[in-house]
Amino acid sequence: MSRTAEMDRVRRTIQGLCQSSNDLISNARLYEVFGLATEPEKARLRSRLGDLIRRRELIRVQDGIYSYNPGAAPQQDGEVFQRIWRVVRSRAPGFTYRDVGLISGASDRTVRRYLKFLIDEGFIVRHGKSGNTRHFRTTQKGKIQRETPFMPRPLPDPFKAERDAACRIVRALMEMDPYQPQTARKIAADSRIISDRFQTHRPEKEKRDDS
């Protein structure tokens, strides 16, 4: 399973288990839901959870326990991609960029970008050419994939989540009462975001110095 498809599956599962902002989800519960028994399988899941934490979709409440932040989930013109995906799954082999654009109403740039993603993920493949016009067909993987595959949201600033967390900590310390339990929880949660990043993603130079 590709990283993107697996991430979509993890995200949908967490969304289904966390119906409100007060619901919590744990590593142990996710291991059970996904039927993970070996440490390599569990490590892969924790890697996906780490991605969601950096995107602020998951908020670490304590070690191995999280709440879900649906406002941070990728939107990415979801309706447009859903229309394109319906066209792709319904067309006979040999469809073109133009075919998909005319039926879905999406721009040529959006169609080309999304179809490239579908090729990379194995949902469609190239199916010959007519002059300079490329043709495509849906693969078996694409035929059985009913839900729309979404492209991963880009992270232009790899430290954006940590910078935002640092700003919130400073604001809380300067403008709020740290003795208030709610404020203290917010500061602790943002501190964990920063700590987790630099514990699990240490600079290469630091790693070499330790060796």
Side-chain angles (χ1 to χ4, degrees):
M1 179 179 293
S2 71
R3 183 179 181 87
T4 299
E6 187 169 343
M7 178 65 85
D8 287 343
R9 181 186 175 210
V10 171
R11 178 182 286 113
R12 288 195 301 270
T13 298
I14 293 174
Q15 289 171 340
L17 293 171
C18 297
Q19 297 296 320
S20 77
S21 58
N22 295 323
D23 292 335
L24 300 179
I25 190 67
S26 67
N27 284 347
R29 176 60 174 151
L30 290 171
Y31 297 156
E32 178 184 0
V33 170
F34 288 113
L36 306 181
T38 69
E39 183 54 34
E41 290 175 329
K42 295 177 180 179
R44 281 197 298 273
L45 175 62
R46 290 196 297 269
S47 175
R48 304 297 182 265
L49 299 180
D51 289 342
L52 293 175
I53 290 170
R54 287 188 289 279
R55 294 173 185 276
R56 295 286 295 171
E57 285 187 65
L58 275 187
I59 307 299
R60 190 189 298 273
V61 177
Q62 61 188 66
D63 287 345
I65 299 178
Y66 320 92
S67 63
Y68 186 66
N69 175 23
Q75 301 300 315
Q76 315 172 10
D77 300 323
E79 185 180 347
V80 174
F81 292 148
Q82 288 171 351
R83 293 202 306 268
I84 296 174
W85 181 240
R86 284 196 294 269
V87 173
V88 167
R89 293 191 71 243
S90 65
R91 298 294 291 178
F95 59 86
T96 66
Y97 291 126
R98 178 177 171 80
D99 295 334
V100 175
L102 285 174
I103 299 172
S104 68
S107 69
D108 182 69
R109 179 178 180 275
T110 299
V111 170
R112 289 176 180 273
R113 183 164 57 98
Y114 187 56
L115 262 60
K116 180 182 184 303
F117 161 74
L118 294 179
I119 292 171
D120 292 342
E121 293 296 317
F123 293 113
I124 65 174
V125 293
R126 293 181 177 87
H127 191 64
K129 294 176 64 176
S130 297
N132 293 325
T133 302
R134 291 188 179 279
H135 296 264
F136 307 92
R137 68 171 177 83
T138 306
T139 63
Q140 185 61 30
K141 177 180 178 180
K143 291 176 182 177
I144 64 176
Q145 174 72 27
R146 298 183 61 86
E147 296 187 25
T148 304
F150 288 105
M151 295 184 291
R153 183 171 53 181
L155 293 174
D157 179 358
F159 292 99
K160 183 179 187 304
E162 290 74 28
R163 297 185 208 280
D164 290 347
C167 289
R168 288 191 296 271
I169 290 172
V170 171
R171 190 178 302 117
L173 290 172
M174 298 296 292
E175 300 176 1
M176 304 176 187
D177 181 1
Y179 283 114
Q180 291 295 320
Q182 183 176 4
T183 302
R185 284 195 295 271
K186 290 180 179 179
I187 292 174
D190 283 327
S191 297
R192 280 191 290 270
I193 291 173
I194 297 172
S195 175
D196 288 346
R197 176 59 186 269
F198 293 103
Q199 284 181 356
T200 59
H201 291 76
R202 299 167 60 200
E204 288 300 321
K205 181 178 184 302
E206 182 181 337
K207 292 178 182 178
R208 290 194 300 270
D209 289 345
D210 287 348
S211 61

